[in-house]
Amino acid sequence: MLSRFCLVALITATSALSQAQNTSPKPEPVLDVHVHAMDADFPGIAPMCPNTSKFIASDPKGKEEPFGWVKEPCTPALYPAAKGEYMKDVLAEMERLNVTAVVFGDPKSVQKWKDAAPARVIPGTAFEVGFPANQRVPLDELRKDFTTGGFKVMGEIGLQYEGLSPSDPSVDQYFALAEELDIPVAIHMGTGGSGRANITTPKFRGSMGNPLLLEDLLARHPKLRVQVMHAGYPMIEEMLTLLQANSHVYVDVAGLIWSYPIKEVNRYIERLVEGGFEDRVMFGTDQLIWPKLMAYSISVIQNADYLTTEEKRDILYNNAARFLRLDNKQAK
Ligand SMILES: [Zn+2]
């Protein structure tokens, strides 16, 4: 089931592929803080072109497509994993690129990934069932996942798809648990709907992705460590305001890094870094239906002419290692 994954993902986009990844035999390690343990086939999913140039409007009078990206040709396009090969293909890419990833999903699916690649997978799970969620995982069950099940991050939390604020009192008990157990939480904020949330996920609210909605939650739980997934894109002013106000907040650039127009993506990351938060920006990809997307996303950071070599390493590895409190030897 395609649950717990971002609709921003299923796009058919365009633009030229830039130079992919590393050429050295053993690339420097990368931490990807945002991968999904999907276990499905993807019939009918088209090859994709990252960083599409624009959205197109639709007319409610006719049948509207679920994805609003303009369809443009590109070379080379990225191809979806073959039937039944998704996990194998993504793990092979992680091995080739020396990537360790936080993999989110329901505990059983994530465990499969962990079993297949114990050294490369950091397991994550959360309290929503279904997409958009229509059920909650019982608190005690979630507690067990983190105390005895080996799970390390609580995410992806997609309350925005339910039209809920992350500070909504109805889910506070889960964040209280994360604070008590000292588990970082990863919350979807900002992007969504591939330009067609009104058609595909009518409960989704752009306004519920405003990073400043995290302030009450953070005030209630002063020790909570928060990963703002998708960096609250496109709300840069609100994102910078939150980063200034709370030093336990980090962001990831997953989804947005390969979805939106490349100039806009670079401008957004540059604003975060130029705003003084170079040490809180973490690399991420999101779902990888097209497994080569991981190499492509790494290349966006590596090709960023506004980042120093040191800043690139911080975004690709060091910041996430600090956020996750990894032993430095792990993943290297
Ligand atoms: Zn997301």
Side-chain angles (χ1 to χ4, degrees), residues 21-52:
Q21 85 278 353
N22 311 279
T23 48
S24 58
K26 166 98 172 165
E28 289 190 281
V30 169
L31 272 167
D32 181 336
V33 295
H34 190 152
V35 169
H36 293 280
M38 294 178 296
D39 199 14
D41 299 319
F42 313 108
I45 296 283
M48 77 95 68
C49 300
N51 298 116
T52 318

PDB file of all heavy atoms in Angstrom, residues 21-52:
ATOM      1  N   GLN A  21      26.283  11.893  -9.239  1.00  0.00           N
ATOM      2  CA  GLN A  21      27.121  11.400  -8.138  1.00  0.00           C
ATOM      3  C   GLN A  21      28.634  11.311  -8.288  1.00  0.00           C
ATOM      4  O   GLN A  21      29.273  11.970  -9.078  1.00  0.00           O
ATOM      5  CB  GLN A  21      26.572  10.053  -7.665  1.00  0.00           C
ATOM      6  CG  GLN A  21      27.012   8.809  -8.414  1.00  0.00           C
ATOM      7  CD  GLN A  21      26.259   8.531  -9.672  1.00  0.00           C
ATOM      8  OE1 GLN A  21      25.292   9.203  -9.958  1.00  0.00           O
ATOM      9  NE2 GLN A  21      26.699   7.591 -10.433  1.00  0.00           N
ATOM     10  N   ASN A  22      29.129  10.452  -7.422  1.00  0.00           N
ATOM     11  CA  ASN A  22      30.574  10.331  -7.267  1.00  0.00           C
ATOM     12  C   ASN A  22      31.189   9.455  -8.348  1.00  0.00           C
ATOM     13  O   ASN A  22      30.577   8.554  -8.863  1.00  0.00           O
ATOM     14  CB  ASN A  22      30.847   9.663  -5.920  1.00  0.00           C
ATOM     15  CG  ASN A  22      30.068  10.318  -4.814  1.00  0.00           C
ATOM     16  OD1 ASN A  22      30.465  11.334  -4.301  1.00  0.00           O
ATOM     17  ND2 ASN A  22      28.939   9.733  -4.458  1.00  0.00           N
ATOM     18  N   THR A  23      32.432   9.726  -8.615  1.00  0.00           N
ATOM     19  CA  THR A  23      33.123   8.873  -9.560  1.00  0.00           C
ATOM     20  C   THR A  23      34.231   8.088  -8.866  1.00  0.00           C
ATOM     21  O   THR A  23      34.770   7.158  -9.435  1.00  0.00           O
ATOM     22  CB  THR A  23      33.735   9.710 -10.705  1.00  0.00           C
ATOM     23  OG1 THR A  23      34.433  10.803 -10.113  1.00  0.00           O
ATOM     24  CG2 THR A  23      32.650  10.222 -11.624  1.00  0.00           C
ATOM     25  N   SER A  24      34.573   8.468  -7.632  1.00  0.00           N
ATOM     26  CA  SER A  24      35.627   7.753  -6.913  1.00  0.00           C
ATOM     27  C   SER A  24      35.130   6.355  -6.546  1.00  0.00           C
ATOM     28  O   SER A  24      33.937   6.122  -6.431  1.00  0.00           O
ATOM     29  CB  SER A  24      36.029   8.518  -5.663  1.00  0.00           C
ATOM     30  OG  SER A  24      34.914   8.698  -4.840  1.00  0.00           O
ATOM     31  N   PRO A  25      36.055   5.416  -6.360  1.00  0.00           N
ATOM     32  CA  PRO A  25      35.656   4.033  -6.077  1.00  0.00           C
ATOM     33  C   PRO A  25      34.832   3.917  -4.798  1.00  0.00           C
ATOM     34  O   PRO A  25      33.870   3.176  -4.746  1.00  0.00           O
ATOM     35  CB  PRO A  25      36.985   3.289  -5.943  1.00  0.00           C
ATOM     36  CG  PRO A  25      38.063   4.249  -6.306  1.00  0.00           C
ATOM     37  CD  PRO A  25      37.490   5.614  -6.437  1.00  0.00           C
ATOM     38  N   LYS A  26      35.240   4.652  -3.750  1.00  0.00           N
ATOM     39  CA  LYS A  26      34.482   4.590  -2.496  1.00  0.00           C
ATOM     40  C   LYS A  26      34.046   6.006  -2.157  1.00  0.00           C
ATOM     41  O   LYS A  26      34.801   6.795  -1.596  1.00  0.00           O
ATOM     42  CB  LYS A  26      35.395   4.005  -1.396  1.00  0.00           C
ATOM     43  CG  LYS A  26      34.890   4.164   0.014  1.00  0.00           C
ATOM     44  CD  LYS A  26      34.191   2.925   0.509  1.00  0.00           C
ATOM     45  CE  LYS A  26      33.888   3.082   2.005  1.00  0.00           C
ATOM     46  NZ  LYS A  26      32.921   2.122   2.480  1.00  0.00           N
ATOM     47  N   PRO A  27      32.805   6.339  -2.513  1.00  0.00           N
ATOM     48  CA  PRO A  27      32.348   7.708  -2.258  1.00  0.00           C
ATOM     49  C   PRO A  27      32.335   8.028  -0.765  1.00  0.00           C
ATOM     50  O   PRO A  27      32.208   7.118   0.058  1.00  0.00           O
ATOM     51  CB  PRO A  27      30.924   7.719  -2.810  1.00  0.00           C
ATOM     52  CG  PRO A  27      30.756   6.475  -3.573  1.00  0.00           C
ATOM     53  CD  PRO A  27      31.764   5.496  -3.079  1.00  0.00           C
ATOM     54  N   GLU A  28      32.447   9.297  -0.453  1.00  0.00           N
ATOM     55  CA  GLU A  28      32.344   9.695   0.946  1.00  0.00           C
ATOM     56  C   GLU A  28      30.935   9.370   1.436  1.00  0.00           C
ATOM     57  O   GLU A  28      29.970   9.415   0.665  1.00  0.00           O
ATOM     58  CB  GLU A  28      32.616  11.189   1.071  1.00  0.00           C
ATOM     59  CG  GLU A  28      34.072  11.532   0.825  1.00  0.00           C
ATOM     60  CD  GLU A  28      34.371  12.970   1.178  1.00  0.00           C
ATOM     61  OE1 GLU A  28      34.048  13.843   0.348  1.00  0.00           O
ATOM     62  OE2 GLU A  28      34.898  13.226   2.264  1.00  0.00           O
ATOM     63  N   PRO A  29      30.799   9.032   2.726  1.00  0.00           N
ATOM     64  CA  PRO A  29      29.487   8.582   3.204  1.00  0.00           C
ATOM     65  C   PRO A  29      28.428   9.673   3.146  1.00  0.00           C
ATOM     66  O   PRO A  29      28.733  10.862   3.303  1.00  0.00           O
ATOM     67  CB  PRO A  29      29.768   8.182   4.657  1.00  0.00           C
ATOM     68  CG  PRO A  29      30.982   8.936   5.040  1.00  0.00           C
ATOM     69  CD  PRO A  29      31.802   9.073   3.794  1.00  0.00           C
ATOM     70  N   VAL A  30      27.213   9.238   2.919  1.00  0.00           N
ATOM     71  CA  VAL A  30      26.065  10.147   2.856  1.00  0.00           C
ATOM     72  C   VAL A  30      25.002   9.622   3.808  1.00  0.00           C
ATOM     73  O   VAL A  30      24.801   8.408   3.913  1.00  0.00           O
ATOM     74  CB  VAL A  30      25.501  10.212   1.415  1.00  0.00           C
ATOM     75  CG1 VAL A  30      24.164  10.937   1.380  1.00  0.00           C
ATOM     76  CG2 VAL A  30      26.493  10.874   0.472  1.00  0.00           C
ATOM     77  N   LEU A  31      24.355  10.540   4.509  1.00  0.00           N
ATOM     78  CA  LEU A  31      23.190  10.168   5.325  1.00  0.00           C
ATOM     79  C   LEU A  31      21.951  10.745   4.668  1.00  0.00           C
ATOM     80  O   LEU A  31      21.855  11.960   4.466  1.00  0.00           O
ATOM     81  CB  LEU A  31      23.338  10.738   6.741  1.00  0.00           C
ATOM     82  CG  LEU A  31      24.087   9.865   7.749  1.00  0.00           C
ATOM     83  CD1 LEU A  31      24.420  10.687   8.995  1.00  0.00           C
ATOM     84  CD2 LEU A  31      23.251   8.643   8.133  1.00  0.00           C
ATOM     85  N   ASP A  32      21.014   9.871   4.337  1.00  0.00           N
ATOM     86  CA  ASP A  32      19.735  10.291   3.766  1.00  0.00           C
ATOM     87  C   ASP A  32      18.701  10.116   4.879  1.00  0.00           C
ATOM     88  O   ASP A  32      18.418   8.990   5.298  1.00  0.00           O
ATOM     89  CB  ASP A  32      19.415   9.393   2.562  1.00  0.00           C
ATOM     90  CG  ASP A  32      18.108   9.759   1.877  1.00  0.00           C
ATOM     91  OD1 ASP A  32      17.237  10.362   2.539  1.00  0.00           O
ATOM     92  OD2 ASP A  32      17.956   9.417   0.694  1.00  0.00           O
ATOM     93  N   VAL A  33      18.148  11.223   5.363  1.00  0.00           N
ATOM     94  CA  VAL A  33      17.269  11.143   6.539  1.00  0.00           C
ATOM     95  C   VAL A  33      15.798  10.951   6.189  1.00  0.00           C
ATOM     96  O   VAL A  33      14.929  11.097   7.042  1.00  0.00           O
ATOM     97  CB  VAL A  33      17.412  12.402   7.437  1.00  0.00           C
ATOM     98  CG1 VAL A  33      18.804  12.481   8.028  1.00  0.00           C
ATOM     99  CG2 VAL A  33      17.060  13.673   6.679  1.00  0.00           C
ATOM    100  N   HIS A  34      15.505  10.599   4.927  1.00  0.00           N
ATOM    101  CA  HIS A  34      14.088  10.570   4.535  1.00  0.00           C
ATOM    102  C   HIS A  34      13.853   9.608   3.363  1.00  0.00           C
ATOM    103  O   HIS A  34      13.799  10.018   2.206  1.00  0.00           O
ATOM    104  CB  HIS A  34      13.679  12.004   4.160  1.00  0.00           C
ATOM    105  CG  HIS A  34      12.207  12.212   3.957  1.00  0.00           C
ATOM    106  ND1 HIS A  34      11.596  13.425   4.169  1.00  0.00           N
ATOM    107  CD2 HIS A  34      11.224  11.395   3.529  1.00  0.00           C
ATOM    108  CE1 HIS A  34      10.312  13.334   3.893  1.00  0.00           C
ATOM    109  NE2 HIS A  34      10.053  12.110   3.489  1.00  0.00           N
ATOM    110  N   VAL A  35      13.743   8.310   3.700  1.00  0.00           N
ATOM    111  CA  VAL A  35      13.442   7.289   2.686  1.00  0.00           C
ATOM    112  C   VAL A  35      12.209   6.524   3.158  1.00  0.00           C
ATOM    113  O   VAL A  35      11.939   6.450   4.360  1.00  0.00           O
ATOM    114  CB  VAL A  35      14.657   6.339   2.503  1.00  0.00           C
ATOM    115  CG1 VAL A  35      14.299   5.116   1.671  1.00  0.00           C
ATOM    116  CG2 VAL A  35      15.817   7.090   1.847  1.00  0.00           C
ATOM    117  N   HIS A  36      11.454   5.960   2.235  1.00  0.00           N
ATOM    118  CA  HIS A  36      10.247   5.210   2.607  1.00  0.00           C
ATOM    119  C   HIS A  36      10.358   3.736   2.222  1.00  0.00           C
ATOM    120  O   HIS A  36      10.786   3.414   1.115  1.00  0.00           O
ATOM    121  CB  HIS A  36       9.008   5.824   1.954  1.00  0.00           C
ATOM    122  CG  HIS A  36       8.701   7.179   2.500  1.00  0.00           C
ATOM    123  ND1 HIS A  36       8.048   7.366   3.692  1.00  0.00           N
ATOM    124  CD2 HIS A  36       8.995   8.416   2.038  1.00  0.00           C
ATOM    125  CE1 HIS A  36       7.936   8.659   3.936  1.00  0.00           C
ATOM    126  NE2 HIS A  36       8.499   9.318   2.944  1.00  0.00           N
ATOM    127  N   ALA A  37       9.925   2.893   3.149  1.00  0.00           N
ATOM    128  CA  ALA A  37       9.999   1.435   2.938  1.00  0.00           C
ATOM    129  C   ALA A  37       8.756   0.944   2.231  1.00  0.00           C
ATOM    130  O   ALA A  37       7.951   0.240   2.818  1.00  0.00           O
ATOM    131  CB  ALA A  37      10.137   0.722   4.280  1.00  0.00           C
ATOM    132  N   MET A  38       8.617   1.313   1.008  1.00  0.00           N
ATOM    133  CA  MET A  38       7.442   0.837   0.282  1.00  0.00           C
ATOM    134  C   MET A  38       7.698  -0.583  -0.195  1.00  0.00           C
ATOM    135  O   MET A  38       8.826  -0.992  -0.399  1.00  0.00           O
ATOM    136  CB  MET A  38       7.153   1.753  -0.884  1.00  0.00           C
ATOM    137  CG  MET A  38       6.737   3.123  -0.413  1.00  0.00           C
ATOM    138  SD  MET A  38       6.448   4.218  -1.792  1.00  0.00           S
ATOM    139  CE  MET A  38       8.062   4.310  -2.491  1.00  0.00           C
ATOM    140  N   ASP A  39       6.625  -1.280  -0.367  1.00  0.00           N
ATOM    141  CA  ASP A  39       6.736  -2.692  -0.706  1.00  0.00           C
ATOM    142  C   ASP A  39       5.814  -3.002  -1.872  1.00  0.00           C
ATOM    143  O   ASP A  39       5.255  -4.067  -1.969  1.00  0.00           O
ATOM    144  CB  ASP A  39       6.327  -3.512   0.531  1.00  0.00           C
ATOM    145  CG  ASP A  39       6.851  -4.930   0.445  1.00  0.00           C
ATOM    146  OD1 ASP A  39       7.723  -5.172  -0.404  1.00  0.00           O
ATOM    147  OD2 ASP A  39       6.382  -5.776   1.223  1.00  0.00           O
ATOM    148  N   ALA A  40       5.640  -2.029  -2.725  1.00  0.00           N
ATOM    149  CA  ALA A  40       4.628  -2.177  -3.770  1.00  0.00           C
ATOM    150  C   ALA A  40       5.257  -2.185  -5.156  1.00  0.00           C
ATOM    151  O   ALA A  40       6.416  -1.863  -5.321  1.00  0.00           O
ATOM    152  CB  ALA A  40       3.640  -1.029  -3.670  1.00  0.00           C
ATOM    153  N   ASP A  41       4.462  -2.568  -6.122  1.00  0.00           N
ATOM    154  CA  ASP A  41       4.869  -2.407  -7.508  1.00  0.00           C
ATOM    155  C   ASP A  41       4.263  -1.105  -7.999  1.00  0.00           C
ATOM    156  O   ASP A  41       3.350  -0.561  -7.396  1.00  0.00           O
ATOM    157  CB  ASP A  41       4.346  -3.569  -8.349  1.00  0.00           C
ATOM    158  CG  ASP A  41       4.911  -4.883  -7.843  1.00  0.00           C
ATOM    159  OD1 ASP A  41       6.105  -4.902  -7.504  1.00  0.00           O
ATOM    160  OD2 ASP A  41       4.150  -5.865  -7.751  1.00  0.00           O
ATOM    161  N   PHE A  42       4.766  -0.639  -9.093  1.00  0.00           N
ATOM    162  CA  PHE A  42       4.317   0.670  -9.554  1.00  0.00           C
ATOM    163  C   PHE A  42       3.830   0.596 -10.990  1.00  0.00           C
ATOM    164  O   PHE A  42       4.428   1.177 -11.892  1.00  0.00           O
ATOM    165  CB  PHE A  42       5.451   1.692  -9.408  1.00  0.00           C
ATOM    166  CG  PHE A  42       6.108   1.622  -8.057  1.00  0.00           C
ATOM    167  CD1 PHE A  42       7.375   1.105  -7.920  1.00  0.00           C
ATOM    168  CD2 PHE A  42       5.437   2.067  -6.930  1.00  0.00           C
ATOM    169  CE1 PHE A  42       7.976   1.024  -6.673  1.00  0.00           C
ATOM    170  CE2 PHE A  42       6.029   1.997  -5.681  1.00  0.00           C
ATOM    171  CZ  PHE A  42       7.301   1.465  -5.545  1.00  0.00           C
ATOM    172  N   PRO A  43       2.731  -0.141 -11.190  1.00  0.00           N
ATOM    173  CA  PRO A  43       2.246  -0.279 -12.565  1.00  0.00           C
ATOM    174  C   PRO A  43       1.844   1.079 -13.129  1.00  0.00           C
ATOM    175  O   PRO A  43       1.212   1.874 -12.440  1.00  0.00           O
ATOM    176  CB  PRO A  43       1.030  -1.201 -12.422  1.00  0.00           C
ATOM    177  CG  PRO A  43       0.607  -1.064 -10.991  1.00  0.00           C
ATOM    178  CD  PRO A  43       1.844  -0.743 -10.218  1.00  0.00           C
ATOM    179  N   GLY A  44       2.248   1.328 -14.341  1.00  0.00           N
ATOM    180  CA  GLY A  44       1.797   2.545 -15.006  1.00  0.00           C
ATOM    181  C   GLY A  44       2.541   3.796 -14.603  1.00  0.00           C
ATOM    182  O   GLY A  44       2.215   4.884 -15.063  1.00  0.00           O
ATOM    183  N   ILE A  45       3.524   3.669 -13.715  1.00  0.00           N
ATOM    184  CA  ILE A  45       4.287   4.864 -13.353  1.00  0.00           C
ATOM    185  C   ILE A  45       5.272   5.176 -14.473  1.00  0.00           C
ATOM    186  O   ILE A  45       6.043   4.323 -14.892  1.00  0.00           O
ATOM    187  CB  ILE A  45       5.054   4.657 -12.023  1.00  0.00           C
ATOM    188  CG1 ILE A  45       4.081   4.457 -10.860  1.00  0.00           C
ATOM    189  CG2 ILE A  45       6.009   5.803 -11.756  1.00  0.00           C
ATOM    190  CD1 ILE A  45       3.421   5.709 -10.360  1.00  0.00           C
ATOM    191  N   ALA A  46       5.223   6.393 -14.936  1.00  0.00           N
ATOM    192  CA  ALA A  46       6.043   6.784 -16.078  1.00  0.00           C
ATOM    193  C   ALA A  46       7.473   7.072 -15.639  1.00  0.00           C
ATOM    194  O   ALA A  46       7.723   7.331 -14.468  1.00  0.00           O
ATOM    195  CB  ALA A  46       5.437   8.034 -16.706  1.00  0.00           C
ATOM    196  N   PRO A  47       8.400   7.022 -16.596  1.00  0.00           N
ATOM    197  CA  PRO A  47       9.746   7.511 -16.300  1.00  0.00           C
ATOM    198  C   PRO A  47       9.640   8.962 -15.839  1.00  0.00           C
ATOM    199  O   PRO A  47       8.688   9.654 -16.193  1.00  0.00           O
ATOM    200  CB  PRO A  47      10.458   7.445 -17.652  1.00  0.00           C
ATOM    201  CG  PRO A  47       9.668   6.512 -18.475  1.00  0.00           C
ATOM    202  CD  PRO A  47       8.256   6.594 -17.988  1.00  0.00           C
ATOM    203  N   MET A  48      10.574   9.405 -15.024  1.00  0.00           N
ATOM    204  CA  MET A  48      10.444  10.761 -14.529  1.00  0.00           C
ATOM    205  C   MET A  48      11.639  11.635 -14.881  1.00  0.00           C
ATOM    206  O   MET A  48      12.730  11.149 -15.100  1.00  0.00           O
ATOM    207  CB  MET A  48      10.190  10.761 -13.022  1.00  0.00           C
ATOM    208  CG  MET A  48      11.396  10.490 -12.160  1.00  0.00           C
ATOM    209  SD  MET A  48      12.167  12.014 -11.611  1.00  0.00           S
ATOM    210  CE  MET A  48      10.900  12.597 -10.536  1.00  0.00           C
ATOM    211  N   CYS A  49      11.341  12.914 -14.944  1.00  0.00           N
ATOM    212  CA  CYS A  49      12.364  13.918 -15.178  1.00  0.00           C
ATOM    213  C   CYS A  49      12.364  14.818 -13.959  1.00  0.00           C
ATOM    214  O   CYS A  49      11.351  15.455 -13.674  1.00  0.00           O
ATOM    215  CB  CYS A  49      12.031  14.738 -16.417  1.00  0.00           C
ATOM    216  SG  CYS A  49      11.907  13.742 -17.901  1.00  0.00           S
ATOM    217  N   PRO A  50      13.457  14.864 -13.218  1.00  0.00           N
ATOM    218  CA  PRO A  50      13.461  15.664 -11.989  1.00  0.00           C
ATOM    219  C   PRO A  50      13.368  17.160 -12.256  1.00  0.00           C
ATOM    220  O   PRO A  50      13.623  17.620 -13.368  1.00  0.00           O
ATOM    221  CB  PRO A  50      14.815  15.331 -11.346  1.00  0.00           C
ATOM    222  CG  PRO A  50      15.404  14.220 -12.132  1.00  0.00           C
ATOM    223  CD  PRO A  50      14.736  14.194 -13.465  1.00  0.00           C
ATOM    224  N   ASN A  51      13.029  17.889 -11.205  1.00  0.00           N
ATOM    225  CA  ASN A  51      13.003  19.359 -11.234  1.00  0.00           C
ATOM    226  C   ASN A  51      12.215  19.930 -12.411  1.00  0.00           C
ATOM    227  O   ASN A  51      12.736  20.689 -13.247  1.00  0.00           O
ATOM    228  CB  ASN A  51      14.435  19.922 -11.225  1.00  0.00           C
ATOM    229  CG  ASN A  51      15.198  19.534  -9.962  1.00  0.00           C
ATOM    230  OD1 ASN A  51      16.195  18.824 -10.032  1.00  0.00           O
ATOM    231  ND2 ASN A  51      14.720  19.958  -8.814  1.00  0.00           N
ATOM    232  N   THR A  52      10.948  19.556 -12.459  1.00  0.00           N
ATOM    233  CA  THR A  52      10.032  20.045 -13.498  1.00  0.00           C
ATOM    234  C   THR A  52       9.947  21.569 -13.479  1.00  0.00           C
ATOM    235  O   THR A  52      10.023  22.181 -12.424  1.00  0.00           O
ATOM    236  CB  THR A  52       8.617  19.497 -13.218  1.00  0.00           C
ATOM    237  OG1 THR A  52       8.756  18.145 -12.825  1.00  0.00           O
ATOM    238  CG2 THR A  52       7.747  19.574 -14.438  1.00  0.00           C
TER     239      THR A  52
END
